Amino acid sequence: MSLSWAVFSPFILAIFVPLMKRYSKLHIGWLVSILPLALFIGFLSYIPKVMNGETVYHVIEWIPSLGINIAFYLDGLSLLFAMIITGIGFFVVIYSIGYLGAKENLVNFYIYILMFMGAMLGVVLSNNLIVLFVFWELTSISSFLLIGFWYHKPESKYGAQKALLITVSGGLAMLASFVLIWVVTGSFDIREIIASADLIKSSDYYLAILILFLLGAFTKSAQFPFHIWLPNAMEAPTPISAYLHSATMVKAGIYMMARSSLFLAGTPEWTYIVSLVGIFTMVYAGYMALTQTDLKAILAYSTISQLGLITTLLGFNTNLAIITAVFHLFNHASFKGSLFMVVGIVDHETGTRDIRKLGGLAKKMPITATVAGIGALAMAGIPPLNGFLSKELFFKATVSLDGIMAPWTTWFFPTMAVLGAIFTFAYSMRLFLKVFFGKPQFEKLDKKPHEAPIGLWLPAVILVSFSVIFGLFPGLIENSIVSPAASAVAGETLSVHISHWHGLNLPLLMTIIVIGVGTVLYINLAKFQQLQARLTPKISLNRIYDWSIDAIPKTGKIITDRQMTGFLRDYLVFILGYVSLSILATMFIKNTWTFTGLDLASIEIYEVLLAVLLVAGALGVLFFRTRLAAIISLGIVGFSVSLFFIFFRAPDLALTQLIVETISLALFLLAFAQLPDLKPEVKKWSEKTVNIVISVAVGVTIFLLILMANGNRYYEPISEWFIENGYALAGGTNLVNVILVDFRGFDTLGEITVLVAAALSVYALIRLRLEKRSESNE
Amino acid sequence: MIFDVLIPEIVLTVVALGLLLAAAWQKEGQSGSYLGYLGIVGLLGALVALWPAIGISGEVFDGMLVADELTMFFKALLIVVGILVFLMSIEFVEKNHIPAGEYYALLLFGIVGGMIMVASADLLAFYVGLELLAIASYALTGMLRNDHKSQEAVLKYFLNGALASAIILFGISLFYGLTGTTSIQGLADAFKVGVNGTDSLVMAALVFLMAGFGFKIAAVPFHLWAADTYEGAPTPITAFLSVVSKGAAFVVMMRIFFVGLESLTVNWSAAFAVLAVITMTVGNLAALWQKNIKRMLAYSSIAHAGYIMVGFAAATADGLTGMTYYILAYALTNMGLFAIIVAMSNAGLGEDIDGYKGLSRKNALYAWMMVVFFLSLIGIPPTGGFLGKFLLFKASIGANLVWLALAMAINSAISVGYYYGVVKTMFLNEEEEEEPQKLPTTANIGLVVWITGAMVLVLGILPSFFIELSSQVAKILP
Amino acid sequence: MELLIAFVIAILFGIGTYLLLSRSLLRVVLGTAILSHATHLTILTMGRLKRGEAPIYVKDALLSYSDPLPQALILTAIVINFGVTAFLLVLAYRTYQELGTADLSELRGVSDE
């Protein structure tokens, strides 16, 4: 099985899902489930290779010029994730067969889930950061589609949008960090980047890279304060919550942190930021889980809390911590996956997920209750289940920080860890005991509860049995899975030995405290919840999110309304004001009033007179109130300009100007006769003032510019060349004509084309008008 | 032979005049569609006529025009876009009783104007091309009869545009006053030798040029005309404006700023960085509120001008490559989108986003293709828009502008808001179960949608060839 | 002379701008006409005024000529401007016929926003 086939096969299968629907009477889920099973077995076969420290590498050229190739790489870490993705994927697909009836839109469901599976495998197998990013965002999109699967529900839409916005934004920040890494190392290839890890850690960009990178990881793995999307994501069908939002997608952030530990971790910045965010998330989410009434919300906060635990461990980045993180990752997938399935069964069979309405289900659903019991005990960290083993190791990691972090952390982290574990213990007990052994209140339920069909409970039983098996015999996975994965993170071969009994030591003491205090807390939970209700602050993160989602478009509206008045005048005022202001401002700031070296030509009295005439004509256009007078004044301006052309030794211009001016005037007369007369304008004085200010500003700007241009000439104009060569090369004496016809013939050609286009435009407009008139006459 | 370079333009001009002649012989009440097909044949001819000019490089016509990779690339793109606009116009022109001869001839003139612009080596030639394109665009905007919006749109467009042309002309004459030349290479030489780049007069000339161009590409604060004009213009012309006018202006800017004003890079790149952020933000925020899809896309196109300007802010070869690729992807994406909007308008479903309700069931091809185009506009893989954004993203970070890259990322996220709104409307399952009126795919528009959709995906999935082409463009750098 | 002409150009620009900003379509049209005159004069001034003879080459006579290049530029501008003016006039005419008003402040067809 080549790695690229593994990644692309789910996408290929997705294309055929609609056909399956059409041609198969069987539930599509059965057909779809073959693929994850096959892939899982395929990945299983890699274990011996990976155990020997071998890796698999496979590359397809994509955009070599940018250093972007579809490169897949398999080591212990990737293998662990790939097995979780395909293994849990298989069980979830089987489970979904019983969970989703034939009425649901199964085609979409399985297309999305296959898309997700492929994307997620792409994330954990990619060796190229850009390819990884593409798959990364694809997981966000498929998650969005799956959360919004029941899109007629407003909560689904809200949850889907929230998840998408937060995770995609985080992804984009991560892309920025990838590109920065490229700037520093010149490569997108993870192997090559690891080889130049020192370059990254010593670069000026390190902090920026780290923060942008962690933004991506934290948003995906729901770390505080970006965790707010995960509880809302529980609107997805339960198989999806079990798969994406507990076992796989939310662990993509964890994967990224683990993957990058060889080139980003180990610095004080990494250690403190990651471990503090992680431990805070763990405690905070555990605390929040206690207050929830929706079973899935409890599990969501529980997931956030457990992810916080793993993040903390990756922050420590000691060998012990890495082993523990990898081990717990595996354990969490098994017990949390089964718990989600249990909640799905309860929801399916009773019609509610509200913990307040549930109780005493153990008698009605014994199998489900057993699964729930084992899962909850594993989560709470009770021996001999696997959760106990990894929790013990976690405690051990927190008490062995001496010399790695500052002194205060040696008491801070163990205390917080115990606190978090107490919350975990309490909510695990609540989840299990209240639902299955609490006071029965079946009258509040819509359905009469009974045991679920085998299709629903079997996957849960199998998953939870891993908790028992690996809890009792951790040796089964020590060397085959945990050690290769941890070695890949640490960059050196780590030998792992997990045992139940470490002697009477601090971690054991901590476990005893957890169980003791946790039991007390569970018994007094009602009182504690009252206290919590009082402590909850008014301003929640969710409210900030909702507010900003509202505020962005509102700001947009305000900005838009300000400028987009729809009035032409306002637009022109804006443009002219902006241009003259920025030019005047530049002049003042630069303070380069170079009028020196003004090279002025002589002035004659008739020129002054002409200037006066020109200005008078312009003023006439401004002040005359009849069309004819205004047009005549405009004519005066035009003819004065052509006279100036004569004075300025430009006879050709004068000639052209005269002709054009005459025709233009005729046109003006023709057109204006059709238009209403000039009325005295009614204007507000404020509008008038603005107009005057802008006009004066434009005038002043132009005046200054012309004078400055006169004093600042650096270069002999290329015109000299034309003067020297005009006659010799083109044989013409009129230099302007020579330029236009010989040297710049293209210009003239273009000019004619412009005129043709203009004439055509005029014709088209008139024709439109005439046709309309003839239509209305008919 | 230097005329080799000009054959496509000559072909198009001759075809344009031919169309006019043909239109004059047209009988009353006869369909004008064949004029459109003739125009397409002409455009295909022009595309073939580009062939002899491949490999020719250097200045022609005494330094008025230039032939190089940049010119070649964008001339080809302009012609292809022209063909797409023609295809989507044929039924629209027929339905709205637009005079076909004038319409198609003006479109061809506009394309010729754009081609002159991208090939100009001299500010004067550029000005001529600019005016040719502008006049054609003004008239085309006002081609809808009985439509007050169209009439108003053309007036606003014209007056704003005339002012912008004047501003550009003023900027050109200031540069001429300073350096004594209007040749773009000449400017570069002059600034290298002696002109003091920090002089406030130089700055003023720069401001004029940037303001004028700012209008053409609809960058904030010169964007105000865009929404009204895009909304009022006939829809195929809106597509034309958002791609041809804007694209050609960007290409000229590449040459003027990267080559001619290379010595002033420090000054303009910083200004572009600021303008880019303001432009993308204002465009995206305003788009969130629009109920008319053309207006929404007008603001989206403003935002995209902001993204493209990132390449100027980076002011590197990477930036140039990124812009080229981005413009290519954006042009094809927008063409596809507008083709669907034309189809909707032909079917009498209007331009309001509400009219797109249930499109997924009326015409699944259009609905899904629209999703692809939106993905490309947002910058989500596997589309061309993603790679375009990625290249610009990379360029800006490579030029130490991390904040600019982040602004781009945030803006992309904001833009999801309004594109998603349309998608939601399209896929909304209406409560009533009755089968909706099917919207058939017509040959011409279906063709445009297929071509652009396929190209947008190719640009995202198999981009190597086009990235190579785009990076050739960076050869214009000194 | 340059001072005088700069002054004249500045006034033309001022007046032209003021007209451009007014509400009446007619005055806007007049304003653009004045602005174009002003621009042409500016270009000419950029190339220096009254230096040497008109650029008509006299064989074998060592004369200095005024700068012909800006003149060529202006010639192009004048012709293009003519086309633009004609178009604007028709546009104004059509706008009035279609919309029944020449007051720009009444043109605000934006419905949403």
Side-chain angles (χ1 to χ4, degrees):
Chain A
M1 181 180 67
S2 102
L3 292 178
S4 31
W5 268 111
V7 173
F8 290 119
S9 58
F11 293 106
I12 296 168
L13 186 63
I15 298 172
F16 293 104
V17 168
L19 288 178
M20 291 181 201
K21 167 85 180 168
R22 186 173 292 175
Y23 296 112
S24 151
K25 291 209 176 74
L26 210 57
H27 194 288
I28 321 173
W30 292 112
L31 299 172
V32 171
S33 69
I34 299 167
L35 181 72
L37 184 65
L39 289 177
F40 180 75
I41 295 168
F43 281 117
L44 222 50
S45 70
Y46 278 110
I47 287 184
K49 236 185 186 178
V50 172
M51 268 173 80
N52 289 335
E54 285 175 48
T55 56
V56 186
Y57 185 69
H58 181 77
V59 64
I60 306 168
E61 291 234 315
W62 189 29
I63 322 173
S65 58
L66 295 177
I68 302 174
N69 291 311
I70 302 181
F72 294 116
Y73 178 84
L74 185 85
D75 61 2
L77 184 67
S78 306
L79 184 62
L80 169 65
F81 272 91
M83 286 172 61
I84 292 178
I85 293 162
T86 50
I88 308 264
F90 171 68
F91 290 121
V92 162
V93 171
I94 296 288
Y95 178 83
S96 69
I97 296 170
Y99 191 84
L100 290 174
K103 271 189 189 166
E104 304 281 356
N105 191 343
L106 293 174
V107 173
N108 284 10
F109 183 83
Y110 288 109
I111 288 181
Y112 298 158
I113 213 166
L114 284 170
M115 210 168 103
F116 169 77
M117 198 181 290
M120 195 65 209
L121 284 173
V123 169
V124 300
L125 293 174
S126 291
N127 189 42
N128 186 293
L129 287 179
I130 299 306
V131 176
L132 190 151
F133 167 79
V134 171
F135 285 121
W136 177 275
E137 295 293 52
L138 205 53
T139 61
S140 294
I141 293 169
S142 40
S143 146
F144 164 81
L145 293 168
L146 285 165
I147 299 171
F149 181 65
W150 286 312
Y151 53 81
H152 42 266
K153 287 200 297 185
E155 299 87 9
S156 290
K157 275 193 267 186
Y158 174 81
Q161 194 184 356
K162 197 172 182 178
L164 186 73
L165 270 178
I166 294 177
T167 53
V168 165
S169 310
L172 289 170
M174 195 177 232
L175 178 62
S177 79
F178 291 168
V179 179
L180 272 176
I181 289 174
W182 168 80
V183 169
V184 175
T185 65
S187 175
F188 287 121
D189 184 289
I190 295 178
R191 296 298 115 196
E192 288 173 18
I193 291 167
I194 290 174
S196 37
D198 293 337
L199 224 55
I200 296 176
K201 288 183 192 167
S202 60
S203 94
D204 296 339
Y205 289 127
Y206 175 71
L207 196 62
I209 292 176
L210 182 66
I211 290 172
L212 291 168
F213 181 87
L214 289 177
L215 274 176
F218 286 170
T219 48
K220 201 82 165 183
S221 284
Q223 296 298 292
F224 186 87
F226 309 110
H227 65 281
I228 52 171
W229 67 268
L230 193 56
N232 292 101
M234 292 298 136
E235 292 302 332
T238 303
I240 296 309
S241 309
Y243 189 32
L244 271 72
H245 304 124
S246 163
T248 54
M249 189 185 96
V250 286
K251 293 202 176 112
I254 303 284
Y255 169 79
M256 277 318 290
M257 286 190 273
R259 183 48 87 206
S260 68
S261 76
L262 284 179
F263 56 89
L264 286 179
T267 61
E269 291 94 331
W270 168 283
T271 310
Y272 283 94
I273 296 175
V274 177
S275 63
L276 286 175
V277 168
I279 198 86
F280 183 76
T281 307
M282 177 190 170
V283 174
Y284 170 82
Y287 169 84
M288 291 298 290
L290 283 174
T291 61
Q292 304 303 315
T293 53
D294 180 350
L295 291 178
K296 280 179 88 175
I298 298 176
L299 288 184
Y301 276 106
S302 151
T303 304
I304 297 170
S305 173
Q306 301 281 321
L307 291 169
L309 186 159
I310 302 173
T311 305
T312 315
L313 287 166
L314 290 174
F316 296 158
N317 202 39
T318 59
N319 285 349
L320 175 63
I322 290 171
I323 292 168
T324 313
V326 170
F327 186 44
H328 192 69
L329 194 83
F330 186 83
N331 296 338
H332 178 249
S334 71
F335 65 70
K336 190 54 69 60
S338 61
L339 281 175
F340 263 107
M341 289 178 178
V342 164
V343 168
I345 293 171
V346 170
D347 187 9
H348 206 260
E349 300 305 321
T350 66
T352 183
R353 297 194 313 245
D354 192 333
I355 197 168
R356 288 167 300 189
K357 292 186 190 166
L358 293 164
L361 289 177
K363 272 181 208 152
K364 305 266 177 189
M365 335 167 69
I367 303 170
T368 311
T370 316
V371 174
I374 298 171
L377 290 175
M379 186 155 76
I382 306 296
L385 298 166
N386 60 357
F388 164 73
L389 297 173
S390 48
K391 182 155 298 176
E392 202 79 342
L393 285 169
F394 171 57
F395 287 156
K396 198 172 162 194
T398 59
V399 296
S400 3
L401 289 175
D402 207 9
I404 294 162
M405 291 172 80
W408 59 269
T409 58
T410 53
W411 59 263
F412 176 77
F413 279 104
T415 317
M416 293 293 277
V418 168
L419 188 61
I422 291 171
F423 290 144
T424 309
F425 182 86
Y427 69 69
S428 303
M429 289 306 116
R430 175 172 173 236
L431 187 70
F432 172 54
L433 296 174
K434 174 77 176 59
V435 175
F436 293 95
F437 292 99
K439 210 176 80 195
Q441 31 189 345
F442 301 135
E443 69 284 354
K444 288 191 184 167
L445 303 175
D446 303 333
K447 290 180 183 171
K448 207 164 171 236
H450 47 75
E451 187 57 83
I454 179 168
L456 286 180
W457 60 252
L458 189 62
V461 167
I462 296 174
L463 266 184
V464 88
S465 65
F466 290 133
S467 288
V468 182
I469 296 169
F470 298 128
L472 292 172
F473 311 106
L476 287 175
I477 51 169
E478 260 171 19
N479 291 319
S480 56
I481 293 173
V482 177
S483 165
S487 307
V489 179
E492 53 181 302
T493 312
L494 300 179
S495 65
V496 178
H497 184 69
I498 302 165
S499 60
H500 292 86
W501 182 250
H502 303 274
L504 283 173
N505 57 5
L506 204 49
L508 188 66
L509 179 68
M510 287 160 82
T511 304
I512 293 167
I513 296 174
V514 167
I515 296 175
V517 180
T519 314
V520 175
L521 178 62
Y522 173 67
I523 293 166
N524 298 304
L525 197 59
K527 273 183 211 156
F528 185 75
Q529 281 172 336
Q530 281 171 6
L531 184 72
Q532 267 186 321
R534 231 176 296 154
L535 284 177
T536 307
K538 286 251 156 49
I539 303 166
S540 70
L541 284 165
N542 276 311
R543 216 172 279 175
I544 294 174
Y545 167 85
D546 291 337
W547 177 84
S548 48
I549 288 301
D550 258 13
I552 291 172
K554 266 186 197 147
T555 327
K557 186 160 171 56
I558 293 168
I559 293 177
T560 314
D561 287 349
R562 269 287 153 78
Q563 349 144 357
M564 297 299 303
T565 56
F567 292 122
L568 181 66
R569 172 187 164 269
D570 294 355
Y571 298 176
L572 296 177
V573 165
F574 209 70
I575 293 178
L576 288 168
Y578 177 83
V579 172
S580 18
L581 199 75
S582 47
I583 288 176
L584 288 175
T586 326
M587 289 187 197
F588 272 105
I589 293 166
K590 297 260 174 194
N591 201 16
T592 44
W593 301 89
T594 32
F595 297 122
T596 46
L598 277 190
D599 181 6
L600 302 178
S602 59
I603 200 165
E604 307 285 342
I605 182 72
Y606 55 86
E607 290 167 341
V608 178
L609 286 176
L610 187 60
V612 172
L613 186 66
L614 185 57
V615 171
L619 287 172
V621 179
L622 187 58
F623 287 113
F624 278 127
R625 289 278 166 252
T626 59
R627 284 171 291 186
L628 195 60
I631 292 174
I632 291 173
S633 308
L634 184 66
I636 294 176
V637 174
F639 291 122
S640 315
V641 169
S642 44
L643 277 179
F644 264 119
F645 285 156
I646 294 180
F647 295 155
F648 297 155
R649 316 279 192 271
D652 294 273
L653 287 190
L655 215 61
T656 320
Q657 172 74 15
L658 267 176
I659 297 167
V660 166
E661 192 59 34
T662 316
I663 306 174
S664 298
L665 278 184
L667 279 178
F668 265 96
L669 286 170
L670 259 173
F672 276 30
Q674 304 287 330
L675 289 166
D677 211 346
L678 288 163
K679 278 174 287 191
E681 295 202 15
V682 222
K683 265 190 213 161
K684 278 182 277 182
W685 68 267
S686 61
E687 192 181 327
K688 209 164 192 166
T689 319
V690 171
N691 288 1
I692 292 174
V693 168
I694 296 276
S695 310
V696 171
V698 170
V700 170
T701 315
I702 300 278
F703 183 71
L704 293 175
L705 283 179
I706 294 177
L707 287 190
M708 282 167 65
N710 186 275
N712 284 285
R713 193 135 190 208
Y714 302 93
Y715 229 68
E716 260 323 292
I718 52 161
S719 316
E720 295 300 328
W721 184 86
F722 290 116
I723 295 172
E724 277 159 28
N725 297 302
Y727 183 72
L729 292 179
T733 51
N734 183 328
L735 292 174
V736 178
N737 287 355
V738 166
I739 290 176
L740 283 177
V741 177
D742 284 286
F743 297 116
R744 296 270 166 124
F746 173 76
D747 234 14
T748 316
L749 189 68
E751 201 180 297
I752 293 166
T753 323
V754 173
L755 270 191
V756 172
L760 188 56
S761 309
V762 167
Y763 171 68
L765 283 191
I766 291 176
R767 197 177 135 193
L768 269 177
R769 176 74 210 143
L770 289 180
E771 277 180 9
K772 193 182 170 192
R773 197 183 285 167
S774 64
E775 269 167 29
S776 54
N777 284 348
E778 278 162 18
Chain B
M1 174 64 192
I2 56 167
F3 266 103
D4 285 353
V5 186
L6 214 55
I7 295 174
E9 285 90 336
I10 294 172
V11 167
L12 291 183
T13 316
V14 170
V15 172
L17 296 172
L19 288 183
L20 281 176
L21 274 179
W25 296 106
Q26 200 181 351
K27 289 189 197 77
E28 191 80 22
Q30 191 190 346
S31 155
S33 298
Y34 73 97
L35 295 172
Y37 292 116
L38 277 179
I40 293 173
V41 173
L43 282 162
L44 287 172
L47 200 56
V48 175
L50 278 177
W51 196 260
I54 291 178
I56 295 186
S57 102
E59 298 191 337
V60 287
F61 287 103
D62 283 297
M64 292 306 278
L65 295 182
V66 61
D68 57 16
E69 285 83 1
L70 181 78
T71 316
M72 200 41 137
F73 184 94
F74 281 103
K75 272 188 181 178
L77 181 62
L78 280 170
I79 295 175
V80 169
V81 166
I83 294 173
L84 297 174
V85 173
F86 265 75
L87 278 173
M88 71 173 91
S89 292
I90 288 172
E91 282 138 41
F92 188 89
V93 166
E94 195 73 16
K95 267 220 156 80
N96 291 286
H97 306 287
I98 294 172
E102 289 89 329
Y103 178 91
Y104 293 123
L106 280 170
L107 260 180
L108 288 178
F109 277 125
I111 293 165
V112 172
M115 288 166 76
I116 294 175
M117 278 169 80
V118 302
S120 50
D122 189 290
L123 295 176
L124 275 184
F126 147 63
Y127 182 71
V128 171
L130 181 80
E131 285 298 313
L132 187 55
L133 175 55
I135 288 179
S137 308
Y138 301 147
L140 287 167
T141 305
M143 280 277 188
L144 275 185
R145 330 206 270 172
N146 304 333
D147 189 323
H148 289 190
K149 268 188 191 164
S150 173
Q151 189 58 37
E152 222 184 291
V154 58
L155 193 69
K156 283 177 183 167
Y157 185 30
F158 177 88
L159 286 172
N160 274 289
L163 185 64
S165 293
I167 288 174
I168 289 185
L169 193 58
F170 207 92
I172 293 177
S173 61
L174 270 180
F175 274 119
Y176 173 75
L178 277 163
T179 61
T181 176
T182 53
S183 140
I184 293 174
Q185 190 55 50
L187 281 181
D189 298 340
F191 280 111
K192 233 170 259 156
V193 178
V195 178
N196 180 3
T198 56
D199 190 293
S200 59
L201 197 62
V202 178
M203 293 299 118
L206 211 51
V207 170
F208 274 110
L209 221 50
M210 287 182 72
F213 278 119
F215 167 85
K216 292 290 168 196
I217 60 172
V220 177
F222 314 104
H223 62 294
L224 296 157
W225 59 278
D228 292 348
T229 307
Y230 280 29
E231 186 189 353
T235 310
I237 298 308
T238 312
F240 180 80
L241 294 180
S242 75
V243 171
V244 174
S245 305
K246 194 171 263 198
F250 265 119
V251 178
V252 177
M253 283 165 74
M254 290 180 194
R255 209 186 286 282
I256 293 182
F257 287 97
F258 277 88
V259 179
L261 305 177
E262 194 230 343
S263 313
L264 309 179
T265 306
V266 192
N267 299 309
W268 53 258
S269 63
F272 273 117
V274 176
L275 280 184
V277 172
I278 298 175
T279 303
M280 58 178 96
T281 313
V282 168
N284 277 324
L285 287 180
L288 286 172
W289 278 95
Q290 305 307 323
K291 297 186 187 73
N292 177 300
I293 196 154
K294 277 161 80 181
R295 236 180 141 72
M296 186 196 98
L297 286 177
Y299 285 109
S300 132
S301 105
I302 291 171
H304 282 277
Y307 300 139
I308 299 174
M309 277 195 280
V310 170
F312 285 104
T316 53
D318 274 356
L320 205 53
T321 309
M323 281 193 285
T324 308
Y325 199 83
Y326 200 100
I327 292 173
L328 174 67
Y330 174 74
L332 293 168
T333 309
N334 244 20
M335 280 297 135
L337 259 183
F338 274 107
I340 295 171
I341 297 173
V342 171
M344 295 294 284
S345 135
N346 284 349
L349 290 168
E351 292 161 0
D352 279 345
I353 293 174
D354 279 344
Y356 286 70
K357 211 175 262 174
L359 180 63
S360 64
R361 297 204 293 164
K362 289 176 188 158
N363 189 322
L365 170 73
Y366 288 170
W368 279 104
M369 280 302 186
M370 246 171 132
V371 173
V372 171
F373 296 136
F374 284 151
L375 289 179
S376 176
L377 288 183
I378 300 170
I380 293 175
T383 58
F386 163 68
L387 263 170
K389 258 199 194 100
F390 171 69
L391 289 170
L392 286 175
F393 199 79
K394 195 174 143 218
S396 71
I397 291 179
N400 276 341
L401 296 166
V402 181
W403 61 274
L404 190 56
L406 287 181
M408 250 180 108
I410 294 169
N411 264 289
S412 282
I414 295 177
S415 74
V416 173
Y418 52 90
Y419 297 125
Y420 175 58
V422 182
V423 173
K424 219 163 60 180
T425 316
M426 288 194 304
F427 285 87
L428 207 65
N429 250 337
E430 266 157 289
E431 294 306 319
E432 65 259 35
E433 279 301 301
E434 66 185 80
E435 200 55 14
Q437 190 84 35
K438 288 274 183 223
L439 171 65
T441 310
T442 56
N444 292 329
I445 289 179
L447 191 61
V448 177
V449 173
W450 267 114
I451 293 174
T452 50
M455 276 308 294
V456 167
L457 289 174
V458 166
L459 286 176
I461 296 168
L462 299 167
S464 267
F465 173 70
F466 292 97
I467 287 185
E468 185 51 36
L469 275 188
S470 306
S471 58
Q472 291 285 316
V473 164
K475 280 193 187 162
I476 63 162
L477 287 177
Chain C
M1 190 63 225
E2 272 84 353
L3 272 175
L4 178 71
I5 201 77
F7 185 67
V8 169
I9 292 171
I11 289 195
L12 286 184
F13 265 105
I15 291 175
T17 308
Y18 188 83
L19 287 168
L20 196 63
L21 295 179
S22 78
R23 288 178 172 190
S24 151
L25 183 52
L26 272 79
R27 288 160 74 86
V28 171
V29 175
L30 292 169
T32 56
I34 291 189
L35 282 179
S36 61
H37 286 314
T39 314
H40 299 160
L41 278 176
T42 314
I43 301 174
L44 197 63
T45 317
M46 289 290 168
R48 299 294 167 88
L49 296 175
K50 299 208 288 185
R51 294 294 135 54
E53 299 300 314
I56 295 175
Y57 191 76
V58 179
K59 210 177 172 189
D60 300 330
L62 273 177
L63 293 172
S64 78
Y65 299 104
S66 63
D67 194 344
L69 190 61
Q71 297 192 17
L73 175 55
I74 298 170
L75 212 58
T76 307
I78 288 178
V79 175
I80 288 181
N81 189 60
F82 171 66
V84 172
T85 307
F87 180 73
L88 176 57
L89 284 170
V90 176
L91 192 61
Y93 157 73
R94 203 171 105 92
T95 304
Y96 178 64
Q97 300 288 327
E98 290 278 321
L99 306 178
T101 179
D103 186 346
L104 289 173
S105 64
E106 287 172 23
L107 296 185
R108 193 172 177 248
V110 199
S111 43
D112 52 318
E113 198 82 63

